[in-house]
Amino acid sequence: MVVEPESYRWSSFAANTTAAPDTLVTPHDVYLRLAEDVVLRRNRYRELVAQALSEDDLAAIRLYVQRQRALGSNRFQEQIEKQLQRRVGLGRPGRPSRRTVL
């Protein structure tokens, strides 16, 4: 998509890492807790975004996206299942086996 996150026009990255105001962006509580000092907070956010994902995390993201499932903790998945009234975690791939009726 883009080489640098600030180049993506729909990203809040620039608003979170520069002094340029963006009236469309409301800072998230987690972002605000990175530091009380604004400059330090921006630098920590920039460092956080620059960290690469591990191969295991990347593989998990790809698997859940391919299977159109919610990636997260068991608690998170249970909450989403309750809201959607359907299974959101990974199951066994393929159709369920037929049961033989005697």
Side-chain angles (χ1 to χ4, degrees):
M1 292 173 67
V2 295
V3 175
E4 300 295 330
E6 61 267 19
S7 300
Y8 187 59
R9 101 186 241 191
W10 303 113
S11 173
S12 61
F13 183 83
N16 290 328
T17 58
T18 67
D22 187 335
T23 58
L24 297 177
V25 176
T26 302
H28 191 278
D29 289 340
V30 175
Y31 169 75
L32 294 173
R33 287 194 305 252
L34 289 174
E36 288 188 28
D37 178 73
V38 175
V39 175
L40 182 57
R41 182 184 317 128
R42 290 177 185 151
N43 289 336
R44 285 184 178 169
Y45 183 76
R46 190 177 290 110
E47 290 169 3
L48 180 66
V49 172
Q51 292 177 1
L53 291 172
S54 71
E55 288 300 319
D56 289 343
D57 288 342
L58 192 55
I61 291 168
R62 287 180 174 146
L63 177 64
Y64 277 77
V65 168
Q66 288 169 351
R67 295 195 184 166
Q68 299 180 359
R69 297 294 182 211
L71 175 60
S73 67
N74 288 339
R75 181 174 175 238
F76 171 76
Q77 288 180 346
E78 289 169 5
Q79 290 173 337
I80 299 301
E81 285 178 354
K82 187 175 182 179
Q83 289 177 358
L84 298 179
Q85 299 290 311
R86 61 176 237 163
R87 182 172 56 92
V88 299
L90 292 178
R92 297 175 73 185
R95 298 180 69 143
S97 61
R98 291 186 178 178
R99 293 186 181 183
T100 305
V101 179
L102 299 177

XYZ file of all heavy atoms in Angstrom:
831
model
N 0.828 -1.192 0.000
C 0.000 0.000 0.000
C 0.871 1.255 0.000
O 0.800 2.039 -0.927
C -0.924 -0.006 1.202
C -1.975 -1.095 1.139
S -2.960 -1.271 2.642
C -3.867 0.213 2.686
N 1.655 1.431 1.083
C 2.576 2.565 1.171
C 3.849 2.094 1.865
O 3.845 1.106 2.585
C 1.968 3.753 1.957
C 0.773 4.342 1.242
C 1.596 3.355 3.370
N 4.920 2.819 1.653
C 6.190 2.466 2.281
C 6.203 2.905 3.742
O 6.644 2.181 4.621
C 7.371 3.097 1.501
C 8.686 2.832 2.211
C 7.425 2.545 0.086
N 5.710 4.097 4.012
C 5.690 4.648 5.364
C 4.244 4.865 5.805
O 3.416 5.328 5.013
C 6.439 5.984 5.401
C 7.889 5.890 4.991
C 8.719 5.060 5.954
O 8.393 5.019 7.148
O 9.691 4.436 5.503
N 3.909 4.566 7.064
C 2.524 4.694 7.519
C 1.967 6.109 7.396
O 0.777 6.287 7.132
C 2.551 4.250 8.977
C 3.943 3.951 9.320
C 4.786 4.055 8.102
N 2.805 7.121 7.557
C 2.293 8.494 7.454
C 1.876 8.857 6.034
O 1.172 9.832 5.822
C 3.312 9.510 7.983
C 4.617 9.533 7.237
C 5.670 8.622 7.850
O 5.322 7.714 8.614
O 6.852 8.821 7.534
N 2.283 8.044 5.056
C 1.917 8.298 3.667
C 0.501 7.821 3.339
O -0.064 8.230 2.322
C 2.897 7.604 2.725
O 4.200 8.078 2.930
N -0.055 6.975 4.173
C -1.411 6.475 3.915
C -2.414 7.520 4.355
O -2.483 7.890 5.523
C -1.632 5.153 4.647
C -2.944 4.480 4.315
C -3.238 4.123 3.006
C -3.879 4.223 5.295
C -4.430 3.511 2.686
C -5.082 3.603 4.990
C -5.360 3.247 3.682
O -6.551 2.654 3.365
N -3.198 8.001 3.458
C -4.049 9.155 3.734
C -5.122 8.893 4.774
O -5.608 9.808 5.408
C -4.600 9.703 2.430
C -5.978 9.360 2.058
C -6.313 9.849 0.675
N -7.408 10.799 0.726
C -8.044 11.235 -0.328
N -7.679 10.861 -1.527
N -9.034 12.066 -0.200
N -5.524 7.656 4.983
C -6.589 7.354 5.944
C -6.042 6.903 7.295
O -6.790 6.470 8.165
C -7.525 6.296 5.379
C -8.115 6.716 4.071
C -7.886 6.156 2.853
C -8.998 7.816 3.841
N -8.558 6.832 1.875
C -9.262 7.860 2.457
C -9.573 8.787 4.655
C -10.090 8.820 1.885
C -10.404 9.739 4.071
C -10.650 9.743 2.711
N -4.750 6.988 7.485
C -4.129 6.563 8.732
C -4.077 7.714 9.740
O -3.894 8.872 9.366
C -2.706 6.063 8.461
O -2.043 5.808 9.681
N -4.203 7.385 11.012
C -4.054 8.386 12.074
C -2.593 8.510 12.502
O -2.290 9.274 13.420
C -4.916 7.997 13.271
O -4.498 6.750 13.790
N -1.694 7.791 11.848
C -0.287 7.799 12.233
C 0.286 9.211 12.264
O 0.941 9.598 13.236
C 0.529 6.914 11.284
C 1.977 6.804 11.662
C 2.383 5.900 12.625
C 2.930 7.613 11.070
C 3.718 5.797 12.993
C 4.269 7.518 11.424
C 4.657 6.607 12.384
N 0.068 9.998 11.237
C 0.626 11.359 11.185
C 0.083 12.213 12.326
O 0.821 12.965 12.959
C 0.329 12.010 9.841
N -1.194 12.082 12.614
C -1.780 12.856 13.709
C -1.198 12.441 15.058
O -1.091 13.260 15.965
C -3.294 12.682 13.718
N -0.813 11.182 15.192
C -0.280 10.680 16.455
C 1.225 10.870 16.603
O 1.754 10.688 17.696
C -0.613 9.193 16.621
C -2.081 8.969 16.870
O -2.758 9.784 17.473
N -2.581 7.844 16.395
N 1.909 11.221 15.529
C 3.371 11.325 15.609
C 3.921 12.698 15.239
O 5.122 12.909 15.330
C 4.044 10.284 14.686
O 3.598 10.486 13.343
C 3.735 8.873 15.138
N 3.075 13.619 14.830
C 3.535 14.968 14.480
C 2.680 16.003 15.207
O 1.663 15.675 15.814
C 3.437 15.229 12.963
O 2.055 15.254 12.581
C 4.160 14.172 12.155
N 3.093 17.247 15.102
C 2.342 18.339 15.734
C 1.193 18.819 14.844
O 0.439 19.703 15.230
C 3.280 19.491 16.050
N 1.045 18.220 13.665
C -0.016 18.634 12.749
C -1.378 18.232 13.317
O -1.628 17.047 13.536
C 0.199 17.994 11.383
N -2.247 19.193 13.561
C -3.558 18.858 14.130
C -4.453 18.172 13.097
O -4.384 18.454 11.903
C -4.129 20.213 14.529
C -3.454 21.198 13.638
C -2.091 20.625 13.339
N -5.269 17.247 13.558
C -6.247 16.562 12.711
C -7.538 16.474 13.509
O -7.632 15.719 14.472
C -5.751 15.171 12.331
C -6.648 14.492 11.306
O -7.856 14.833 11.236
O -6.162 13.620 10.581
N -8.518 17.257 13.113
C -9.781 17.315 13.856
C -10.575 16.020 13.781
O -11.502 15.828 14.557
C -10.652 18.476 13.348
O -10.901 18.295 11.950
C -9.966 19.811 13.584
N -10.211 15.129 12.867
C -10.922 13.856 12.733
C -10.406 12.791 13.690
O -11.021 11.750 13.844
C -10.820 13.341 11.297
C -11.460 14.221 10.228
C -11.210 13.628 8.841
C -12.944 14.385 10.479
N -9.249 13.051 14.325
C -8.621 12.051 15.187
C -8.816 12.419 16.653
O -8.454 13.506 17.083
C -7.121 11.911 14.872
C -6.454 10.942 15.833
C -6.928 11.463 13.428
N -9.394 11.480 17.392
C -9.506 11.616 18.845
C -8.511 10.637 19.454
O -8.602 9.437 19.203
C -10.932 11.257 19.317
O -11.865 12.110 18.655
C -11.058 11.395 20.818
N -7.558 11.127 20.249
C -6.546 10.228 20.818
C -7.180 9.145 21.688
O -8.052 9.410 22.514
C -5.678 11.160 21.660
C -5.906 12.519 21.095
C -7.324 12.517 20.600
N -6.752 7.921 21.478
C -7.235 6.767 22.230
C -6.572 6.753 23.602
O -5.438 7.202 23.767
C -6.883 5.492 21.454
C -7.544 4.275 21.969
N -7.054 3.566 23.040
C -8.666 3.640 21.574
C -7.840 2.544 23.284
N -8.830 2.561 22.401
N -7.272 6.227 24.603
C -6.731 6.158 25.966
C -5.394 5.425 26.024
O -4.486 5.826 26.749
C -7.724 5.470 26.916
C -8.932 6.336 27.206
O -8.845 7.559 27.015
O -9.963 5.782 27.632
N -5.275 4.341 25.272
C -4.024 3.575 25.271
C -2.887 4.432 24.713
O -1.774 4.431 25.238
C -4.170 2.263 24.477
C -2.847 1.532 24.368
C -5.234 1.382 25.112
N -3.174 5.180 23.676
C -2.169 6.088 23.101
C -1.762 7.139 24.134
O -0.580 7.406 24.327
C -2.730 6.761 21.841
C -1.891 7.896 21.327
C -0.696 7.663 20.662
C -2.292 9.214 21.516
C 0.079 8.714 20.193
C -1.525 10.268 21.052
C -0.345 10.011 20.392
O 0.425 11.043 19.932
N -2.726 7.710 24.820
C -2.439 8.749 25.809
C -1.611 8.220 26.980
O -0.835 8.962 27.580
C -3.740 9.365 26.314
C -4.542 10.148 25.275
C -5.886 10.568 25.842
C -3.755 11.355 24.771
N -1.746 6.939 27.289
C -0.989 6.354 28.393
C 0.457 6.015 28.028
O 1.236 5.620 28.895
C -1.706 5.097 28.913
C -2.967 5.428 29.693
C -3.472 4.232 30.472
N -3.691 3.057 29.651
C -4.884 2.581 29.320
N -5.980 3.158 29.732
N -4.982 1.492 28.579
N 0.837 6.170 26.773
C 2.223 5.894 26.378
C 3.196 6.824 27.096
O 4.318 6.430 27.390
C 2.395 6.019 24.862
C 1.743 4.931 24.020
C 1.873 5.268 22.543
C 2.344 3.568 24.325
N 2.770 8.060 27.373
C 3.595 9.026 28.114
C 2.768 10.277 28.374
O 1.861 10.602 27.605
C 4.853 9.387 27.332
N 3.099 10.971 29.444
C 2.418 12.239 29.720
C 2.958 13.344 28.825
O 2.208 14.205 28.372
C 2.579 12.614 31.197
C 1.759 11.736 32.116
C 1.781 12.230 33.548
O 1.938 13.444 33.778
O 1.638 11.376 34.441
N 4.251 13.306 28.561
C 4.877 14.298 27.689
C 4.495 14.026 26.238
O 4.637 12.898 25.746
C 6.403 14.235 27.857
C 7.110 15.211 26.938
O 7.049 16.425 27.208
O 7.710 14.739 25.945
N 4.003 15.043 25.539
C 3.507 14.884 24.165
C 4.598 14.395 23.216
O 4.370 13.478 22.423
C 2.902 16.213 23.656
C 2.498 16.105 22.198
C 1.725 16.627 24.507
N 5.776 14.974 23.287
C 6.865 14.590 22.384
C 7.298 13.155 22.661
O 7.480 12.360 21.725
C 8.060 15.571 22.510
C 9.236 15.095 21.672
C 7.630 16.968 22.097
N 7.424 12.795 23.927
C 7.798 11.427 24.288
C 6.727 10.436 23.834
O 7.035 9.366 23.316
C 8.017 11.317 25.793
C 8.456 9.957 26.329
C 9.737 9.489 25.653
C 8.629 10.022 27.841
N 5.454 10.819 23.999
C 4.349 9.957 23.561
C 4.416 9.724 22.062
O 4.279 8.605 21.583
C 3.011 10.581 23.927
C 1.828 9.710 23.533
C 0.480 10.360 23.804
N 0.421 11.031 25.079
C 0.019 12.297 25.243
N -0.350 13.025 24.206
N -0.023 12.840 26.435
N 4.657 10.756 21.289
C 4.766 10.619 19.824
C 5.917 9.698 19.446
O 5.776 8.851 18.559
C 4.961 11.988 19.182
C 3.745 12.867 19.230
C 4.040 14.229 18.635
N 2.896 15.107 18.791
C 2.978 16.426 18.901
N 4.165 17.020 18.839
N 1.902 17.146 19.049
N 7.057 9.869 20.113
C 8.212 9.025 19.825
C 7.950 7.572 20.197
O 8.318 6.658 19.442
C 9.450 9.543 20.560
C 9.960 10.835 19.976
O 9.723 11.140 18.812
N 10.651 11.612 20.785
N 7.325 7.332 21.326
C 7.016 5.956 21.728
C 6.029 5.307 20.762
O 6.140 4.126 20.440
C 6.458 5.935 23.155
C 7.523 6.147 24.194
C 6.981 6.023 25.586
N 8.045 6.176 26.566
C 7.834 6.315 27.860
N 6.603 6.307 28.348
N 8.846 6.456 28.683
N 5.062 6.086 20.303
C 4.102 5.546 19.339
C 4.802 5.188 18.033
O 4.569 4.125 17.459
C 2.979 6.557 19.098
C 1.909 6.044 18.180
C 0.959 5.134 18.628
C 1.833 6.459 16.853
C -0.023 4.651 17.783
C 0.858 5.988 16.004
C -0.067 5.089 16.475
O -1.043 4.610 15.642
N 5.682 6.072 17.583
C 6.446 5.817 16.353
C 7.272 4.533 16.491
O 7.309 3.701 15.593
C 7.349 7.012 16.058
C 8.010 6.985 14.705
C 8.839 8.236 14.433
N 8.001 9.410 14.250
C 7.910 10.436 15.112
N 8.641 10.455 16.207
N 7.135 11.463 14.864
N 7.915 4.345 17.656
C 8.707 3.139 17.916
C 7.830 1.893 17.953
O 8.209 0.842 17.437
C 9.461 3.283 19.240
C 10.570 4.294 19.216
C 11.118 4.618 20.606
O 10.665 4.004 21.594
O 11.993 5.494 20.691
N 6.672 2.019 18.565
C 5.742 0.895 18.647
C 5.299 0.438 17.260
O 5.303 -0.752 16.949
C 4.528 1.295 19.485
C 3.449 0.245 19.694
C 3.975 -0.918 20.520
C 2.245 0.867 20.381
N 4.964 1.386 16.413
C 4.521 1.053 15.056
C 5.657 0.470 14.231
O 5.449 -0.403 13.389
C 3.910 2.298 14.363
C 3.621 2.032 12.898
C 2.636 2.727 15.083
N 6.886 0.903 14.506
C 8.048 0.437 13.735
C 8.434 -1.000 14.061
O 9.167 -1.627 13.293
C 9.243 1.353 13.984
N 7.945 -1.539 15.180
C 8.293 -2.910 15.541
C 7.665 -3.886 14.545
O 6.495 -3.775 14.196
C 7.789 -3.243 16.948
C 8.487 -2.490 18.032
C 7.909 -2.800 19.402
O 7.000 -3.596 19.539
N 8.443 -2.146 20.404
N 8.456 -4.826 14.112
C 7.971 -5.829 13.166
C 7.172 -6.897 13.905
O 7.429 -7.196 15.067
C 9.148 -6.471 12.442
N 6.210 -7.468 13.214
C 5.453 -8.586 13.770
C 6.299 -9.847 13.696
O 7.042 -10.046 12.738
C 4.169 -8.814 12.969
C 3.092 -7.740 13.076
C 1.974 -8.029 12.082
C 2.544 -7.664 14.477
N 6.143 -10.711 14.673
C 6.856 -11.982 14.624
C 6.237 -12.851 13.528
O 5.088 -12.641 13.125
C 6.766 -12.700 15.971
O 5.445 -13.184 16.180
N 6.991 -13.824 13.068
C 6.481 -14.738 12.040
C 5.240 -15.483 12.552
O 4.303 -15.722 11.798
C 7.563 -15.714 11.607
C 8.658 -15.083 10.773
C 8.140 -14.459 9.474
O 7.269 -15.073 8.806
O 8.611 -13.362 9.131
N 5.234 -15.851 13.839
C 4.082 -16.553 14.421
C 2.844 -15.661 14.424
O 1.744 -16.111 14.091
C 4.387 -17.018 15.846
C 5.388 -18.159 15.889
O 5.611 -18.811 14.839
O 5.948 -18.403 16.978
N 3.007 -14.385 14.821
C 1.874 -13.457 14.826
C 1.355 -13.231 13.410
O 0.140 -13.215 13.174
C 2.269 -12.117 15.453
C 2.446 -12.196 16.954
O 1.953 -13.173 17.570
O 3.073 -11.277 17.529
N 2.256 -13.061 12.474
C 1.865 -12.847 11.085
C 1.130 -14.064 10.534
O 0.101 -13.927 9.856
C 3.102 -12.531 10.242
C 2.868 -12.007 8.841
C 1.977 -10.780 8.844
C 4.205 -11.675 8.194
N 1.601 -15.254 10.853
C 0.934 -16.486 10.401
C -0.455 -16.591 11.015
O -1.420 -16.980 10.330
C 1.777 -17.705 10.774
N -0.601 -16.242 12.288
C -1.910 -16.295 12.949
C -2.871 -15.300 12.306
O -4.037 -15.635 12.036
C -1.770 -16.011 14.444
N -2.413 -14.096 12.038
C -3.264 -13.086 11.395
C -3.734 -13.586 10.038
O -4.918 -13.509 9.701
C -2.507 -11.750 11.262
C -2.297 -11.129 12.645
C -3.248 -10.786 10.339
C -1.319 -9.970 12.665
N -2.816 -14.121 9.252
C -3.180 -14.618 7.917
C -4.196 -15.761 7.997
O -5.155 -15.813 7.233
C -1.927 -15.061 7.172
C -1.088 -13.896 6.729
C 0.148 -14.339 5.983
N 0.852 -13.178 5.453
C 2.154 -13.093 5.348
N 2.924 -14.107 5.717
N 2.717 -12.012 4.865
N -3.985 -16.682 8.938
C -4.896 -17.817 9.091
C -6.298 -17.353 9.459
O -7.285 -17.784 8.850
C -4.358 -18.775 10.163
C -5.247 -19.972 10.495
C -5.381 -20.891 9.278
C -4.679 -20.729 11.688
N -6.403 -16.464 10.423
C -7.715 -15.991 10.854
C -8.403 -15.168 9.775
O -9.618 -15.244 9.603
C -7.598 -15.201 12.158
C -7.558 -16.090 13.383
C -6.403 -16.777 13.732
C -8.675 -16.239 14.184
C -6.361 -17.595 14.852
C -8.648 -17.056 15.303
C -7.485 -17.737 15.626
O -7.463 -18.549 16.728
N -7.643 -14.384 9.016
C -8.225 -13.620 7.918
C -8.732 -14.564 6.830
O -9.848 -14.414 6.324
C -7.213 -12.607 7.338
C -7.696 -12.026 6.023
C -6.947 -11.497 8.340
N -7.919 -15.569 6.473
C -8.323 -16.511 5.433
C -9.603 -17.247 5.811
O -10.450 -17.517 4.969
C -7.212 -17.531 5.175
C -6.026 -16.956 4.449
C -4.835 -17.916 4.446
O -4.829 -18.935 5.121
N -3.809 -17.560 3.691
N -9.736 -17.580 7.086
C -10.918 -18.315 7.541
C -12.039 -17.391 8.031
O -13.057 -17.848 8.508
C -10.534 -19.290 8.651
C -9.600 -20.370 8.130
C -9.516 -21.501 9.080
N -8.550 -22.488 8.633
C -8.075 -23.446 9.387
N -8.481 -23.569 10.640
N -7.195 -24.302 8.921
N -11.810 -16.092 7.920
C -12.787 -15.078 8.324
C -13.251 -15.297 9.762
O -14.445 -15.363 10.055
C -13.968 -15.058 7.349
C -13.548 -14.713 5.948
C -14.707 -14.699 4.975
O -15.841 -14.963 5.332
N -14.418 -14.387 3.734
N -12.292 -15.380 10.649
C -12.558 -15.586 12.071
C -11.948 -14.454 12.876
O -11.073 -13.730 12.405
C -11.979 -16.931 12.542
C -12.594 -18.118 11.866
C -14.037 -18.240 12.258
N -14.644 -19.413 11.655
C -15.904 -19.465 11.321
N -16.690 -18.447 11.503
N -16.393 -20.561 10.800
N -12.403 -14.305 14.114
C -11.912 -13.244 15.002
C -10.672 -13.717 15.735
O -10.708 -14.727 16.439
C -12.999 -12.853 15.997
N -9.587 -12.995 15.578
C -8.341 -13.311 16.271
C -8.308 -12.558 17.585
O -8.486 -11.349 17.620
C -7.144 -12.916 15.405
C -5.754 -13.060 16.032
C -5.489 -14.505 16.431
C -4.694 -12.554 15.081
N -8.105 -13.282 18.667
C -8.038 -12.646 19.977
C -8.063 -13.698 21.066
O -8.072 -14.900 20.794
N -8.098 -13.227 22.291
C -8.129 -14.138 23.434
C -9.456 -14.905 23.463
O -10.422 -14.536 22.785
C -7.979 -13.343 24.728
O -9.131 -12.533 24.926
N -9.494 -15.957 24.260
C -10.740 -16.715 24.414
C -11.862 -15.816 24.904
O -12.999 -15.922 24.454
C -10.545 -17.889 25.381
C -9.700 -18.990 24.782
O -9.561 -19.102 23.569
N -9.107 -19.799 25.636
N -11.538 -14.933 25.847
C -12.543 -14.007 26.383
C -13.092 -13.104 25.280
O -14.302 -12.902 25.167
C -11.924 -13.168 27.502
C -12.891 -12.208 28.133
C -12.257 -11.515 29.348
N -13.147 -10.528 29.858
C -12.850 -9.246 29.979
N -11.661 -8.812 29.668
N -13.722 -8.395 30.445
N -12.195 -12.559 24.453
C -12.613 -11.711 23.344
C -13.514 -12.484 22.385
O -14.576 -12.003 21.987
C -11.386 -11.167 22.602
C -11.716 -10.462 21.318
C -12.242 -9.185 21.338
C -11.497 -11.074 20.088
C -12.558 -8.524 20.156
C -11.797 -10.430 18.908
C -12.333 -9.147 18.951
N -13.109 -13.701 22.026
C -13.903 -14.498 21.099
C -15.277 -14.825 21.683
O -16.276 -14.790 20.973
C -13.153 -15.771 20.719
C -11.979 -15.490 19.806
C -11.221 -16.737 19.411
O -11.393 -17.802 19.993
N -10.365 -16.618 18.410
N -15.332 -15.131 22.975
C -16.615 -15.411 23.622
C -17.535 -14.193 23.569
O -18.735 -14.324 23.321
C -16.400 -15.845 25.072
C -15.801 -17.228 25.202
C -15.337 -17.549 26.622
O -15.557 -16.726 27.541
O -14.729 -18.624 26.810
N -16.973 -13.008 23.795
C -17.775 -11.786 23.723
C -18.326 -11.560 22.318
O -19.492 -11.209 22.148
C -16.944 -10.573 24.156
C -16.620 -10.546 25.625
C -15.652 -9.427 25.983
O -14.894 -8.924 25.145
N -15.662 -9.028 27.251
N -17.498 -11.760 21.324
C -17.929 -11.563 19.937
C -18.965 -12.616 19.547
O -19.967 -12.310 18.892
C -16.719 -11.592 18.971
C -15.737 -10.472 19.317
C -17.164 -11.498 17.520
C -16.310 -9.076 19.251
N -18.747 -13.867 19.963
C -19.719 -14.926 19.671
C -21.076 -14.598 20.287
O -22.117 -14.816 19.665
C -19.214 -16.269 20.188
C -18.124 -16.855 19.328
C -17.564 -18.170 19.857
O -17.940 -18.597 20.972
O -16.729 -18.759 19.139
N -21.070 -14.070 21.475
C -22.313 -13.707 22.148
C -23.037 -12.601 21.378
O -24.249 -12.654 21.189
C -22.020 -13.254 23.585
C -23.234 -13.012 24.417
C -22.848 -12.690 25.856
C -24.076 -12.490 26.705
N -23.728 -12.191 28.100
N -22.277 -11.611 20.917
C -22.871 -10.505 20.161
C -23.405 -10.958 18.804
O -24.476 -10.548 18.383
C -21.852 -9.384 19.949
C -21.530 -8.615 21.197
C -20.465 -7.550 20.947
O -19.937 -7.396 19.845
N -20.135 -6.817 21.994
N -22.640 -11.797 18.124
C -23.001 -12.202 16.764
C -23.882 -13.444 16.707
O -24.426 -13.767 15.653
C -21.736 -12.450 15.930
C -20.815 -11.255 15.712
C -19.606 -11.657 14.886
C -21.564 -10.099 15.052
N -23.944 -14.167 17.840
C -24.716 -15.406 17.884
C -24.193 -16.425 16.873
O -24.969 -17.114 16.211
C -26.208 -15.127 17.618
C -26.857 -14.202 18.621
C -27.002 -14.850 19.981
O -27.474 -15.956 20.087
N -26.574 -14.157 21.017
N -22.875 -16.488 16.736
C -22.246 -17.477 15.855
C -20.807 -17.685 16.287
O -20.212 -16.860 16.965
C -22.301 -17.079 14.391
C -21.585 -15.789 14.088
C -21.565 -15.462 12.628
N -20.156 -15.323 12.257
C -19.695 -15.346 11.049
N -20.485 -15.525 10.050
N -18.429 -15.201 10.801
N -20.237 -18.811 15.853
C -18.859 -19.136 16.193
C -17.920 -18.196 15.448
O -18.088 -17.949 14.254
C -18.558 -20.584 15.806
C -17.162 -21.035 16.159
C -16.972 -22.526 15.926
N -17.268 -22.944 14.578
C -16.365 -23.019 13.593
N -15.119 -22.730 13.824
N -16.715 -23.411 12.391
N -16.924 -17.663 16.172
C -15.971 -16.758 15.543
C -14.542 -17.268 15.635
O -13.657 -16.746 14.971
C -16.049 -15.319 16.125
C -17.417 -14.722 15.900
C -15.666 -15.307 17.584
N -14.302 -18.281 16.467
C -12.967 -18.851 16.601
C -12.730 -19.903 15.537
O -13.615 -20.245 14.753
N -11.520 -20.410 15.506
C -11.185 -21.445 14.530
C -11.835 -22.759 14.917
O -11.900 -23.122 16.086
C -9.667 -21.650 14.456
C -8.859 -20.500 13.886
C -7.379 -20.840 13.926
C -9.295 -20.157 12.483
N -12.307 -23.467 13.936
C -12.823 -24.815 14.123
C -12.044 -25.739 13.220
O -11.035 -25.356 12.626
N -12.523 -26.926 13.088
C -11.868 -27.839 12.161
C -12.269 -27.457 10.744
O -13.442 -27.229 10.471
C -12.295 -29.268 12.477
C -11.835 -29.677 13.886
C -12.348 -31.017 14.266
N -11.624 -32.026 13.506
C -11.909 -33.313 13.540
N -12.892 -33.754 14.297
N -11.211 -34.170 12.834
N -11.295 -27.392 9.838
C -11.635 -27.017 8.462
C -12.485 -28.092 7.792
O -12.416 -29.267 8.137
C -10.273 -26.875 7.779
C -9.285 -27.546 8.649
C -9.875 -27.624 10.024
N -13.296 -27.662 6.841
C -14.133 -28.597 6.098
C -15.515 -28.730 6.686
O -15.839 -28.157 7.713
N -16.326 -29.499 6.000
C -17.698 -29.723 6.450
C -17.720 -30.742 7.573
O -16.872 -31.624 7.633
C -18.535 -30.233 5.281
C -18.616 -29.232 4.136
C -19.450 -29.811 3.069
N -20.808 -29.859 3.582
C -21.897 -29.642 2.865
N -21.760 -29.369 1.592
N -23.076 -29.701 3.384
N -18.712 -30.645 8.451
C -18.827 -31.663 9.502
C -19.114 -33.013 8.884
O -19.770 -33.122 7.829
C -20.014 -31.192 10.336
C -20.340 -29.815 9.878
C -19.699 -29.620 8.546
N -18.622 -34.082 9.514
C -18.854 -35.416 8.977
C -20.310 -35.815 9.220
O -20.941 -35.390 10.185
C -17.916 -36.433 9.622
O -18.148 -36.468 11.015
N -20.836 -36.635 8.309
C -22.204 -37.133 8.460
C -22.239 -38.221 9.504
O -21.340 -39.066 9.578
C -22.710 -37.701 7.147
C -22.924 -36.669 6.094
C -23.551 -37.319 4.900
N -23.811 -36.322 3.877
C -24.316 -36.604 2.717
N -24.602 -37.853 2.398
N -24.531 -35.644 1.829
N -23.274 -38.226 10.275
C -23.449 -39.290 11.263
C -24.314 -40.379 10.629
O -25.301 -40.097 9.966
C -24.122 -38.771 12.516
C -23.258 -37.797 13.255
C -23.907 -37.424 14.543
N -23.046 -36.463 15.236
C -23.309 -35.986 16.410
N -24.400 -36.337 17.038
N -22.489 -35.129 16.971
N -23.911 -41.593 10.868
C -24.670 -42.717 10.318
C -25.866 -42.985 11.207
O -25.742 -43.131 12.417
C -23.790 -43.981 10.261
O -22.601 -43.664 9.525
C -24.518 -45.128 9.592
N -27.041 -42.992 10.615
C -28.273 -43.248 11.362
C -28.615 -44.714 11.200
O -28.720 -45.227 10.090
C -29.430 -42.371 10.853
C -30.698 -42.662 11.605
C -29.043 -40.900 10.937
N -28.793 -45.433 12.291
C -29.157 -46.859 12.232
C -30.606 -47.075 12.346
O -31.397 -46.507 12.884
C -28.419 -47.635 13.332
C -26.887 -47.588 13.239
C -26.308 -48.326 14.438
C -26.421 -48.250 11.966
